Amino acid sequence: MIKAKGYAAATPTTNLAPWKFERRDIETLDVQFDILYCGVCHSDLHQIRNEWFPGIFPMVPGHEIVGRVVKVGKAVTKFKVGDLAAVGCLVDSCRTCDNCKVGLEQYCTNGSVGTYNSRSKDGTPTYGGYSNTIVVHQDFVLSISEKLSLPAVAPLLCAGITTYSPLRYWKVGKGHKLAVLGLGGLGHMAVKFGVAFGAEVTVLSTSPSKEVDAKKLGAHKFVLTSDPKQIKNAKGTFDFILDTVSAPHELKPYLSLLKTNGTLIMVGIPPEPSQVPAFSLMDGRKSLAASGIGGLPETQEMLDYCAEHNIVSDIEMIDIKDIHNAYDRMVKGDVRYRFVIDMATL
Ligand code: NAP
Ligand code: ZN
Ligand code: ZN
């Protein structure tokens, strides 16, 4: 076994603390890389606090992982020692179901294996990126360009693909009015992709102070959702709303902002469900949809697109000892726009 160290939550009510554990020895098709940076996703907080479902503890969170390869299995063809490498939210899946066969491993009908808070096929828990090293089958390791700033690439592995994938699936682009609800980690990536794909992008936010940032990120318009006048003016104007909000919120007021035939796509996963009155969808034949991360081929496509178009995340680098302060700020909506842990501080 390979000795590893990281930060783990021992229980859903305790703070993260240094923890030593083991990774599997590399097998024929495995890649081991030393983790240099790991992004902090709101899903990390939902999971260490058991906000979605009972988790597997101790839990080492982190699924926006980048680093350099230190060892490869005998039959590995995709990577060599010294290459940059990345892992997102998935480390395995059945590879044989209809979804896996078309690259939708995130919807594996036999259950994909998450990077943490999940179990490998042999039943052992998986541990995430708030750690110094990781071992993953080459099929679930992504290639990244040397051209981009490495810490700013880390958030692409979740915040990036989670927003890229639905925008591509619904073919959002030129001629569309896209609203991004919530300007946090996912939201700011949605703005960047929406603008790059040619849509007119509006940020819907609870934070007046983010208006300037929204425009800097490329958004064309900004609506402060607490201002009834601004909401009224935005009624019936959007083709798509990408909802990235992490906390429970009503959908009805936002559905009223869609045009006829418009679609509200949920990517945020609040701990409690929302109520959706049928009238708010019926009036204008609107659709309510949701989307989960992205499969391996699309994640690689997104990373290549970002390298080509010079797209990275706007980040604030932190030492791992400051993770709880970062979580507190995240809960308050004060993320500008993704915390990334410098793993050298572990
Ligand atoms: P984040 O950085 O904390 O951003 C969430 C944003 O939502 C905040 O910055 C804030 O933006 C807004 N917000 C927060 N509380 C709110 C409230 N009570 N009412 C209205 N708006 C509120 O979180 P994130 O990392 O982007 O993640 C967002 C959500 O997506 C989380 O639930 C996460 O678990 C989920 N997620 C889903 C997937 C997937 O596959 N579908 C993947 C990754 C993450 P403003 O200040 O602009 O209002
Ligand atoms: Zn995430
Ligand atoms: Zn499958």
Side-chain angles (χ1 to χ4, degrees), residues 83-101:
D83 285 350
L84 288 177
V87 165
C89 303
L90 300 172
V91 289
D92 206 358
S93 72
C94 84
R95 299 140 195 260
T96 56
C97 74
D98 288 349
N99 286 338
C100 284
K101 279 197 269 189

Side-chain angles (χ1 to χ4, degrees), residues 42-43 46 183 185-186 205-207 210 244 267 269 291 293 338:
H42 208 117
S43 306
H46 288 312
L183 194 62
L186 267 57
S205 172
T206 60
S207 310
K210 292 184 184 171
T244 76
V267 285
I269 314 175
S291 180
I293 49 173
R338 197 56 142 187

Side-chain angles (χ1 to χ4, degrees), residues 162-173:
T162 303
T163 50
Y164 181 93
S165 181
L167 295 181
R168 283 305 199 204
Y169 177 75
W170 274 277
K171 300 189 169 53
V172 178

Side-chain angles (χ1 to χ4, degrees), residues 145-166:
S145 164
E146 297 272 357
K147 254 179 28 188
L148 300 173
S149 156
L150 191 59
V153 164
L156 301 179
L157 277 302
C158 177
I161 185 60
T162 303
T163 50
Y164 181 93
S165 181

